[in-house]
Amino acid sequence: MEALLVSYGIDWANLLVRWLHLITGIAWIGASFYFVWLDNSIRPPKPGSDLEKKGVSGELWAVHGGGFYNPQKYLVAPAELPQELHWFKWEAYATWITGVAMLFIVYYFNASAMMVDKSVANLSGIEAVGVGIGTLVLGWIVYDLLCRSPLGKREGLLGLVMFVFIVAVAYLLTHLLSGRAAYIHVGAMIGTIMVGNVLMVIIPGQRKLVEAMQQGRSPDPIHGRRGKQRSVHNNYFTLPILFIMISNHYAMTYTHAHSWLVLAAIMAAGVLIRHFFNLRHKGRVAIGYPIAGVALLLAVAVAIAPRPVIPSAPAAPASAAAGSAPVAAAAPDFTRIQAIITQRCASCHSDKPTQAGFATAPAGMMLQTPELIHQHAAKIFQRAVQTKDMPLANMTQMTDQERADVAAWFQAGAK
């Protein structure tokens, strides 16, 4: 009972923290999208106008919620510091804090099940956690050094180098951790880079601008340029990281033999689509970018589509005539299938899971009765045979022959 209550409590912590993570993430990414749109949509004031004399570099008129808005942007800073100044930072900080909390709740507290896949690398749970945390730290260090290097002045080349670096990390992680954990840690690394930009560059630069004005000095525009650069980077990271946040629901991606390449293609598609919208906000419609992004996604969908599973036929008897047709494999009796599901799957997928760390059946799918097994036959076939991501990290050691038996049973009508 104590173990059950602990698992149940973790489930509630998972629910509440995930909910908060989603809320703060929406606030952060929504603000990012809005300000990039605003920067690309504002128009310079008329030459000689009062706005130009005040140092306004651009303005925009908008209508929303029954009111008119007139945001104005100063190239460096206004002549006089306003009494109230809003700082956009807590959306980023709260998203990262709740994201790290999710890593601990879902992955680190149960690393042997959620992060370790012995068929990929023979790591312990602690070693897997070390790989995960090390990825977050290394990602920020490499990215920040690249931005501060001469390469940081060449945006296109910097973006290409960063993409190659992220793909290389994805390749390494998919050869060390389970596919699901590898994907989520690529996303966590990108998220750490994004919040690092806010915490270490954007906000400190803004503070220096404010301090200079408070001391009566002219603010150094370099801080604004650096902040703008990192803000734009964060904007391009958003679609890839949003995909990774939901990727754990789509085993067809992270269980593929070349899952790192699948992730690279989907991230590239996200960047292309995001670039289209950024250009469009500037008044330039480059339809080739979203077409290329969609084509890339379609290519991935075709490339990773499940192939028909053909159960192997039993060896022909010695007395069979030479050249005779092979005998088709007979579908196993349901008794055999139920025994496999009970032994390999029902320890988690039941109304009262016996597997440590689970208080309720994952995804609410229970398999402890014949009726439930028949009801979920298609999902069992998909996850145990096609993607092979279940049982989780194969911790119940389901054999290839058992998977073949499930395939033969399902393809014969799941009777």
Side-chain angles (χ1 to χ4, degrees):
M1 179 58 71
E2 182 180 352
L4 177 63
L5 290 176
V6 169
S7 298
Y8 182 67
I10 291 176
D11 274 353
W12 265 101
N14 187 345
L15 185 157
L16 296 175
V17 174
R18 189 183 297 269
W19 191 11
L20 183 57
H21 184 56
L22 179 63
I23 293 169
T24 55
I26 290 172
W28 182 18
I29 292 176
S32 170
F33 278 9
Y34 172 74
F35 276 103
V36 169
W37 170 84
L38 186 61
D39 271 344
N40 291 332
S41 300
I42 58 176
R43 298 294 180 260
K46 294 181 181 180
S49 65
D50 291 340
L51 289 179
E52 185 182 55
K53 294 175 182 178
K54 287 168 55 179
V56 173
S57 63
E59 68 166 343
L60 172 78
W61 280 93
V63 59
H64 179 75
F68 290 88
Y69 297 80
N70 180 214
Q72 300 173 351
K73 180 179 180 179
Y74 290 80
L75 190 59
V76 179
E80 183 178 345
L81 190 67
Q83 291 184 349
E84 293 186 9
L85 190 62
H86 183 81
W87 298 75
F88 286 87
K89 57 182 180 177
W90 287 110
E91 301 91 340
Y93 300 162
T95 301
W96 187 83
I97 291 169
T98 53
V100 170
M102 286 291 299
L103 281 179
F104 276 89
I105 293 170
V106 178
Y107 291 91
Y108 296 168
F109 289 160
N110 197 15
S112 58
M114 299 299 296
M115 298 183 68
V116 175
D117 186 340
K118 296 296 185 181
S119 66
V120 174
N122 188 25
L123 299 180
S124 67
I126 293 178
E127 289 172 333
V129 171
V131 169
I133 294 175
T135 299
L136 309 189
V137 176
L138 177 66
W140 165 253
I141 292 174
V142 171
Y143 165 79
D144 189 54
L145 289 176
L146 288 174
C147 287
R148 295 177 185 277
S149 73
L151 188 65
K153 298 178 181 179
R154 304 178 64 182
E155 284 297 312
L157 184 57
L158 174 63
L160 179 61
V161 171
M162 269 307 300
F163 181 76
V164 171
F165 170 71
I166 293 172
V167 173
V169 171
Y171 175 85
L172 181 63
L173 290 180
T174 55
H175 287 75
L176 291 174
L177 307 176
S178 68
R180 179 175 170 177
Y183 269 37
I184 208 68
H185 277 86
V186 172
M189 181 187 76
I190 295 173
T192 299
I193 290 172
M194 292 173 69
V195 79
N197 280 336
V198 176
L199 178 65
M200 307 296 288
V201 178
I202 297 173
I203 294 300
Q206 291 174 346
R207 291 191 185 283
K208 289 179 181 179
L209 292 175
V210 171
E211 289 173 2
M213 293 189 64
Q214 290 174 336
Q215 296 170 6
R217 296 183 289 106
S218 297
D220 188 343
I222 187 63
H223 302 301
R225 289 197 295 267
R226 286 174 180 167
K228 175 66 181 299
Q229 179 194 46
R230 301 298 181 99
S231 180
V232 170
H233 291 178
N234 282 2
N235 180 261
Y236 280 100
F237 283 140
T238 51
L239 294 192
I241 199 173
L242 284 173
F243 161 72
I244 294 172
M245 284 175 65
I246 64 172
S247 66
N248 63 304
H249 296 288
Y250 304 99
M252 59 191 177
T253 59
Y254 63 75
T255 60
H256 192 270
H258 301 293
S259 57
W260 63 275
L261 193 56
V262 173
L263 179 59
I266 294 175
M267 288 193 299
V271 170
L272 289 170
I273 293 170
R274 186 66 233 162
H275 188 55
F276 163 77
F277 282 102
N278 287 342
L279 291 177
R280 186 174 178 274
H281 298 329
K282 294 180 178 180
R284 176 186 168 192
V285 178
I287 197 66
Y289 288 107
I291 290 176
V294 171
L296 197 52
L297 292 175
L298 288 174
V300 171
V302 171
I304 68 174
R307 304 294 186 262
V309 179
I310 303 175
S312 56
S319 59
S324 61
V327 180
D333 185 85
F334 179 71
T335 304
R336 162 69 174 160
I337 300 304
Q338 185 176 15
I340 294 173
I341 300 302
T342 299
Q343 181 181 8
R344 307 302 186 190
C345 309
S347 58
C348 294
H349 290 281
S350 65
D351 56 352
K352 296 179 181 178
T354 58
Q355 177 65 44
F358 293 87
T360 57
M365 190 168 74
M366 293 177 282
L367 303 172
Q368 74 267 24
T369 67
E371 293 77 14
L372 289 170
I373 293 174
H374 282 103
Q375 178 184 339
H376 298 295
K379 183 63 71 174
I380 293 170
F381 174 72
Q382 179 190 24
R383 304 298 292 272
V385 178
Q386 291 183 316
T387 62
K388 296 183 179 180
D389 68 308
M390 290 291 165
L392 191 63
N394 204 21
M395 56 186 171
T396 57
Q397 300 180 351
M398 191 176 194
T399 67
D400 289 340
Q401 182 58 54
E402 289 170 338
R403 296 182 195 273
D405 288 345
V406 170
W409 166 73
F410 177 79
Q411 293 177 334
K415 299 177 181 178

